[in-house]
């Protein structure tokens, strides 16, 4: 059954809100007042930009939300505290919204965060959830 346009729009707005306000998904691992940054679009434009990404890849809002929720659950399970605002980068190539990346800064060194990022991506790969058009990545904020 195909998703109605109004349901898709509501899903995109919910996803956009979850990306913008990480505490809604990451819970206590993120400060309540942290607002993510969006590199290339205003937050009001994000649902439409995400729609373009999904249309290009024949993807679903549910998949993107699943990956975001998996990242949040992984962070909570391993007590990985966010160290500031994540940022959303929607990549466009030749006017095609090619993909989106959500980078989550952790309260640790870049070297340590790389290990956690690799573990998270490995878990997604093991579950055949790496589709490439939407990625959540962890990065560090402090020097070793």
């Amino acid at each position: 059954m195909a998703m109605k346009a109004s349901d898709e729009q509501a899903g995109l707005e919910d996803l956009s809100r979850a990306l913008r306000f990480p505490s809604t998904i990451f819970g206590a691992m993120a400060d309540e007042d942290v607002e993510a940054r969006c590199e290339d679009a205003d937050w009001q434009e994000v649902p439409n930009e995400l729609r373009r990404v999904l249309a290009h890849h024949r993807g679903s809002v549910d998949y993107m939300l699943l990956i975001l929720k998996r990242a949040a659950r992984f962070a909570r399970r391993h007590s990985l505290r966010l160290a500031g605002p994540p940022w959303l980068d929607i990549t466009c190539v030749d006017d095609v919204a090619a993909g989106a990346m959500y980078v989550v800064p952790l309260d640790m060194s870049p070297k340590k965060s790389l290990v956690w990022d690799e573990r998270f991506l490995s878990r997604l790969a093991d579950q055949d959830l790496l589709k490439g058009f939407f990625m959540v990545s962890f990065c560090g904020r402090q020097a070793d």
Side-chain angles (χ1 to χ4, degrees):
M1 183 168 125
M3 187 181 278
K4 294 181 199 174
S6 61
D7 292 341
E8 179 188 40
Q9 183 62 31
L12 285 167
E13 289 173 7
D14 289 346
L15 175 61
S16 179
R17 194 170 20 265
L19 291 166
R20 185 175 183 179
F21 302 108
S23 66
T24 61
I25 294 291
F26 284 85
M29 295 295 101
D31 290 338
E32 191 173 320
D33 60 344
V34 169
E35 182 175 339
R37 297 174 299 173
C38 186
E39 296 297 313
D40 297 317
D42 185 82
W43 279 106
Q44 282 67 34
E45 300 167 14
V46 166
N48 289 330
E49 293 296 311
L50 294 174
R51 180 182 290 110
R52 290 176 54 205
V53 169
L54 293 171
H56 180 71
H57 293 279
R58 295 185 182 102
S60 73
V61 172
D62 290 339
Y63 167 77
M64 293 178 87
L65 197 52
L66 173 68
I67 297 304
L68 186 61
K69 286 179 178 178
R70 291 281 173 102
R73 186 172 72 189
F74 184 84
R76 283 191 305 273
R77 181 170 288 151
H78 298 289
S79 299
L80 303 175
R81 182 122 179 95
L82 276 64
W87 64 92
L88 176 65
D89 184 17
I90 300 172
T91 303
C92 295
V93 178
D94 297 328
D95 275 345
V96 173
M101 177 170 277
Y102 192 65
V103 181
V104 179
L106 298 177
D107 191 18
M108 63 181 62
S109 72
K111 188 174 182 179
K112 288 180 182 175
S113 71
L114 182 60
V115 172
W116 289 109
D117 190 52
E118 288 174 353
R119 285 182 67 184
F120 174 65
L121 293 177
S122 291
R123 288 195 47 81
L124 292 181
D126 289 346
Q127 298 166 10
D128 197 28
L129 289 173
L130 287 178
K131 305 295 183 203
F133 66 88
F134 178 65
M135 299 291 296
V136 174
S137 181
F138 296 109
C139 71
R141 297 290 263 189
Q142 299 173 355
D144 278 325

